[in-house]
């Protein structure tokens, strides 16, 4: 069975390098870059003018520009991978514990949880990501290390690691996440002791990887659930489900604008990275640490917007 097809109307992959070079030149001229996340002090020092972008084809060929090999803090991008790893293990049972609707609220919001009985709206807001990590912890005994091993294998980079300084900084400033964890535990929606869960979640968010690493590691979503070694992680429907949730919830209260501008399943992190998927065709990762007021990379969004405009590669 062919893993993917390339519709004749789409540009050939050989066009990716010139497109990336053109986007980087345009971004270089853009004055406003937003501000790095300052609620985690270890991230605040990043230079907002850094910019990198990578595109990976399903066969593992990867193109890049700028700081595309520079490791950065992956943060909420990791929520896509923990979701995939947990879904692969427990299947639809997960959906008894977390929903699949956009929240329309900021990523760290608490407000919906009480009147929705401790069931988070989706797996990408912090509350939902905590539920997923909790369930992966139960399944594996070490969610963060399971995730790290997966990212290393899929990217082909065994140097990927957790930045323990960032994890400690997150823990020190993690009162909102602690509140979310304890609140859901009160509803019986968390299995593990909350301090254990928080430690796993902060370590997960503190994994560092480059645009090249993340574009490659996201490849299973372009290959409809198939891992880099050809084995199957998810069935085709599950891969579709994750892409759909990325499109509708991957950038929180900016998901509508992301779909409008970029038109791809995507997932952002406050480290300034964004991954995106063109199902059946390629995966992307862009990084620039300056964020807008909703926690998404300003230059990253602009670059993905230009990519889909210049190539016509969107799901719409
Ligand atoms: O939970 C937090 O605060 C962070 N470790 C992750 C947040 C994040 O990346 C949100 N996404 N845009």
């Amino acid at each position: 069975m062919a893993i993917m097809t390339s519709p004749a109307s789409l540009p050939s992959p050989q066009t990716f390098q010139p497109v990336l070079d053109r986007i980087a030149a345009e971004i270089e001229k853009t004055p406003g870059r937003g501000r790095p996340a300052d609620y985690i002090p270890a991230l605040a020092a990043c230079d907002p003018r850094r910019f990198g972008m990578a595109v990976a084809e399903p066969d593992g060929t990867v193109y890049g520009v700028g700081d595309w090999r520079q490791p950065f803090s992956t943060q909420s991008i990791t929520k896509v991978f923990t979701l995939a790893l947990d879904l692969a293990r427990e299947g639809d049972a997960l959906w008894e514990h977390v929903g699949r609707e956009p929240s329309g609220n900021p990523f760290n919001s608490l407000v919906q949880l009480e009147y929705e009985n401790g069931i988070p709206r989706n797996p990408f807001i912090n509350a939902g990501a905590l539920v997923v990590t909790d369930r992966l912890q139960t399944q594996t005994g070490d969610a963060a290390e399971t995730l790290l091993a997966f990212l290393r294998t899929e990217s082909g980079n065994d140097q990927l690691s957790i930045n323990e300084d960032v994890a400690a900084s997150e823990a020190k400033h993690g009162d909102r996440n602690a509140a979310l964890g304890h609140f859901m535990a009160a509803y019986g929606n968390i299995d593990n002791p909350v301090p254990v869960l928080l430690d796993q979640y902060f370590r997960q968010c503190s994994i560092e990887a480059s645009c090249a690493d993340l574009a490659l590691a996201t490849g299973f979503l372009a290959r409809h659930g198939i891992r880099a070694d050809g084995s199957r992680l998810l069935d085709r429907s599950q891969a579709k489900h994750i892409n759909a949730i990325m499109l509708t919830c991957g950038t929180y209260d900016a998901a509508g604008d992301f779909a409008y501008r970029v038109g791809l399943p995507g997932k952002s992190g406050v480290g300034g990275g964004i991954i995106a998927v063109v199902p059946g065709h390629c995966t992307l990762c862009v990084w620039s640490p300056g964020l807008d007021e909703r926690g998404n990379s300003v230059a990253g969004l602009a670059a993905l917007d230009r990519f889909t405009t210049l190539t016509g590669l969107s799901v719409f």
Side-chain angles (χ1 to χ4, degrees), residues 39 105-113 126-127 130 170-184 194 198 201-202:
Y39 79 102
N105 281 317
F107 65 87
N108 56 4
S109 173
L110 288 126
V111 294
Q112 281 166 341
L113 263 186
N126 283 11
L130 285 164
E170 297 234 25
K172 197 169 167 201
H173 300 270
D175 289 334
R176 282 188 87 86
N177 285 319
L180 289 166
H182 285 291
F183 196 69
M184 291 189 292
V194 172
L198 292 173
Y201 175 74
F202 294 141

Side-chain angles (χ1 to χ4, degrees), residues 39-40 75-76 79 107 126 170 177 201 205 252 268-270 295:
Y39 79 102
I40 304 169
Q75 294 294 319
S76 288
K79 296 171 180 176
F107 65 87
N126 283 11
E170 297 234 25
N177 285 319
Y201 175 74
C205 290
Y252 314 108
S268 61
V270 293

Side-chain angles (χ1 to χ4, degrees), residues 17-302:
Q17 193 61 52
V19 164
L20 292 180
D21 292 342
R22 177 171 168 183
I23 292 170
E26 290 180 13
I27 295 291
E28 179 61 31
K29 293 186 204 126
T30 313
R33 292 288 180 94
R35 294 182 44 211
D38 55 8
Y39 79 102
I40 304 169
L43 297 182
C46 286
D47 175 359
R49 292 209 65 82
R50 303 292 298 270
F51 173 82
M53 186 169 187
V55 181
E57 295 172 54
D59 69 358
T61 308
V62 59
Y63 304 82
V65 72
D67 298 314
W68 67 300
R69 292 198 181 278
Q70 170 67 43
F72 62 88
S73 193
T74 54
Q75 294 294 319
S76 288
I77 289 175
T78 57
K79 296 171 180 176
V80 171
F81 302 101
T82 49
L83 175 62
L85 290 168
D86 190 72
L87 261 186
R89 283 167 174 78
E90 67 167 331
D92 284 349
L94 172 65
W95 302 121
E96 293 164 25
H97 301 272
V98 61
R100 308 187 287 259
E101 290 294 341
S103 71
N105 281 317
F107 65 87
N108 56 4
S109 173
L110 288 126
V111 294
Q112 281 166 341
L113 263 186
E114 182 163 24
Y115 57 82
E116 295 183 358
N117 300 317
I119 307 288
R121 273 288 174 102
N122 67 66
F124 293 155
I125 52 173
N126 283 11
L130 285 164
V131 166
V132 173
T133 297
D134 177 59
R135 300 193 69 76
L136 188 61
Q137 177 69 12
T138 300
Q139 298 278 336
T140 64
D142 196 329
E145 286 297 328
T146 301
L147 167 65
L148 182 61
F150 178 81
L151 293 175
R152 283 178 174 164
T153 307
E154 297 308 293
S155 65
N157 182 357
D158 62 8
Q159 300 302 307
L160 298 188
S161 62
I162 294 170
N163 183 326
E164 300 292 349
D165 290 342
V166 174
S169 173
E170 297 234 25
K172 197 169 167 201
H173 300 270
D175 289 334
R176 282 188 87 86
N177 285 319
L180 289 166
H182 285 291
F183 196 69
M184 291 189 292
Y187 282 94
N189 200 20
I190 296 293
D191 280 349
N192 294 279
V194 172
V196 171
L197 166 60
L198 292 173
D199 179 58
Q200 289 290 329
Y201 175 74
F202 294 141
R203 298 186 81 237
Q204 158 190 338
C205 290
S206 304
I207 291 174
E208 294 188 340
S210 70
C211 290
D213 298 325
L214 289 170
L216 287 167
T218 308
F220 70 97
L221 289 175
R223 294 186 294 263
H224 308 296
I226 303 285
R227 294 184 63 158
D229 67 359
S231 64
R232 185 170 279 287
L233 176 69
L234 302 171
D235 67 32
R236 205 179 164 102
S237 292
Q238 289 172 317
K240 180 195 75 176
H241 295 155
I242 293 181
N243 280 322
I245 299 168
M246 288 171 73
L247 181 74
T248 53
C249 311
T251 45
Y252 314 108
D253 46 336
D257 194 50
F258 189 84
Y260 177 91
R261 287 180 62 189
V262 178
L264 291 176
K267 182 77 203 79
S268 61
V270 293
I274 308 175
I275 56 171
V277 184
V278 188
H281 207 81
C282 63
T283 46
L284 298 110
C285 181
V286 60
W287 172 62
S288 187
L291 308 180
D292 62 22
E293 65 285 355
R294 292 188 283 195
N296 299 311
S297 169
V298 172
L301 268 172

